[in-house]
Amino acid sequence: MSLALTGAVVGLSGAAQAATKTTPVQMDCVAPPPQAGASGIQNYTVTLPDGAKAGDVVPITIDPGASPVIPGFSVTTVNTSKITLKVGSTTQTVVSPPETVSVVAGQPLDPAAFSGTVKIPDGTEGTTVGVALDLAVTDANLGGSVFTTTCTPNPRPSTALGSVAVEALPKDPITTKLTPNSGKAGTVVTVTGANFPAGPVTCSALKNGAATGDTGAGTATATGVATCEITVSKAADEVKIDGSVTPYKSFVFIVDQPGVQNPVDVEVLPGPLAIGPQAGNPAVDFGKVTINGKAQSVIGQFTAMAVQDFRGGTLGWDVSATRTPFLNEVTGHSMAKAQIGIQPTCKVTNADSPSTCSAGAPGAISETPMKIASQAAAGEDLTGGEFEIGGAGMIQLPAFMFADTYRSVVTFSIA
């Protein structure tokens, strides 16, 4: 990406009952110039279920309240709120849908309430998990350019905006694996599971969701690991340990056909894990800005990159970004104090992809790798697919520097 500094004019290119609580939070906000930042109290109203199990994904509603930032001009923008929360010891982000906002000079912005989900961390059985505010980011889209206001609670994270009482019972029991997961009538299948109460368990086969009548028995250990053995004698397409939650594990029932058997084998080889284009993207032009003795920000958009995971396994991946310093190699001028940030995005581009992807948290890119996007590993389940990664970028410039054209090379890598 490149940036030119000139003397010309500026050119920019659960089922539990819900509980609601309102908490005043001291916020320190940094807004993109020429909008001034501000500090002050913002009232956050949060609705959470009063109880859940460890590992549950539960609904949350957030009403951010009026911002301490007072707009200096009137304009219509499309705003997206990204609220980062500390849920117990984990950090999770809830993103609002885009909201068309008529900003009025002198009147504080009061974002609309929105809903999302958070996950109750594993290992929290029998405790109360607090939910606190860690960061609030507002992206304002104006004519295709994104202007970002970042508000940090003081102290960070804030006091609890709400809490969820976590059941002392284990997480929901699940069926994890079938060995083997196919066979003819009479096949003996070992079924394993997790999160079961210690003691005897039973397992059963299903066809189109209905029990076939084949059942088995086994036990669960004190750590919740269950093992059950069942003989599949009738056509079935799933096998489960009774009491587990969906999805169950698929079973392929093989029916002997009369006549001469002719086996057909096919070998499926793993494909690559790749990010492209391999030749690199063209330079991202963040336009021009005129030195005026004040720190300034300019907005741009990173060119989208394709991620392909054709490995045919259960692995995940992370995409990270690093950058070189802003400099002009010909003149030797550099901008050591300049920073570049990104608001990452990630979406699935192939509807048949077995995995989804998650965008990383907004932040500054440096020589230390920053996570931009990721696909989680899936244990026994298939992962992979095709994805598109990109995001809006903002360069924060110091008040004074040599008038010159500067470049920083941002490198995206996958592992």
Side-chain angles (χ1 to χ4, degrees):
M1 73 189 48
S2 59
L3 174 69
L5 299 174
T6 72
V9 295
V10 178
L12 299 179
S13 59
Q17 186 174 357
T20 301
K21 178 184 176 184
T22 299
T23 306
V25 181
Q26 174 66 33
M27 302 293 282
D28 298 328
C29 299
V30 177
Q35 172 63 53
S39 295
I41 296 295
Q42 188 169 4
N43 292 319
Y44 275 80
T45 301
V46 170
T47 301
L48 284 161
D50 54 14
K53 291 183 178 180
D56 280 355
V57 175
V58 301
I60 183 172
T61 300
I62 304 171
D63 187 347
S67 170
V69 176
I70 306 299
F73 44 86
S74 299
V75 68
T76 297
T77 61
V78 178
N79 290 3
T80 302
S81 297
K82 300 176 180 178
I83 305 298
T84 300
L85 303 168
K86 292 290 289 187
V87 183
S89 60
T90 66
T91 301
Q92 303 179 38
T93 300
V94 182
V95 181
S96 75
E99 176 192 7
T100 300
V101 176
S102 296
V103 180
V104 179
Q107 296 183 12
L109 189 65
D110 191 355
F114 61 95
S115 297
T117 59
V118 293
K119 182 179 179 181
I120 305 302
D122 293 336
T124 57
E125 292 88 345
T127 68
T128 297
V129 171
V131 178
L133 178 64
D134 188 63
L135 192 68
V137 174
T138 302
D139 288 341
N141 190 310
L142 178 61
S145 294
V146 178
F147 298 86
T148 299
T149 299
T150 302
C151 295
T152 306
N154 186 7
R156 179 182 183 183
S158 70
T159 57
L161 307 181
S163 61
V164 179
V166 185
E167 295 182 23
L169 298 174
K171 295 178 292 182
D172 287 332
I174 58 171
T175 303
T176 57
K177 189 175 183 180
L178 307 181
T179 308
N181 61 1
S182 64
K184 305 174 184 178
T187 298
V188 177
V189 178
T190 299
V191 193
T192 58
N195 309 324
F196 285 84
V201 296
T202 58
C203 48
S204 55
L206 303 98
K207 176 69 174 178
N208 297 326
T212 66
D214 289 337
T215 60
T219 58
T221 66
T223 59
V225 177
T227 305
C228 187
E229 193 170 274
I230 181 174
T231 300
V232 177
S233 63
K234 307 178 186 69
D237 53 21
E238 289 179 318
V239 179
K240 67 170 182 174
I241 298 180
D242 298 331
S244 61
V245 299
T246 57
Y248 308 132
K249 289 300 176 181
S250 297
F251 183 83
V252 179
F253 188 79
I254 300 172
V255 179
D256 273 334
Q257 301 292 333
V260 178
Q261 295 184 345
N262 187 9
V264 177
D265 294 337
V266 58
E267 183 179 9
V268 179
L269 301 176
L273 172 66
I275 186 170
Q278 291 302 309
N281 279 323
V284 181
D285 186 0
F286 275 65
K288 302 175 182 178
V289 65
T290 301
I291 298 170
N292 62 6
K294 298 181 176 65
Q296 300 183 71
S297 299
V298 288
I299 304 296
Q301 187 75 27
F302 286 96
T303 306
M305 293 154 286
V307 168
Q308 296 177 328
D309 182 1
F310 298 153
R311 293 172 293 176
T314 63
L315 299 173
W317 49 256
D318 291 327
V319 170
S320 60
T322 57
R323 74 170 179 90
T324 60
F326 278 99
L327 54 84
N328 186 308
E329 294 182 354
V330 176
T331 64
H333 295 151
S334 65
M335 293 192 300
K337 294 183 179 180
Q339 295 187 13
I340 181 168
I342 185 173
Q343 304 276 347
T345 60
C346 186
K347 66 179 181 180
V348 177
T349 56
N350 184 336
D352 292 328
S353 300
S355 294
T356 59
C357 66
S358 300
I365 303 173
S366 67
E367 69 278 0
T368 301
M370 172 192 177
K371 184 186 290 188
I372 300 298
S374 61
Q375 168 195 280
E380 297 290 336
D381 296 323
L382 177 66
T383 59
E386 294 184 272
F387 313 90
E388 184 179 276
I389 293 172
M394 173 184 284
I395 300 176
Q396 296 177 332
L397 300 168
F400 293 96
M401 69 232 90
F402 282 102
D404 206 339
T405 297
Y406 297 85
R407 168 167 289 188
S408 172
V409 178
V410 177
T411 300
F412 295 87
S413 57
I414 191 167

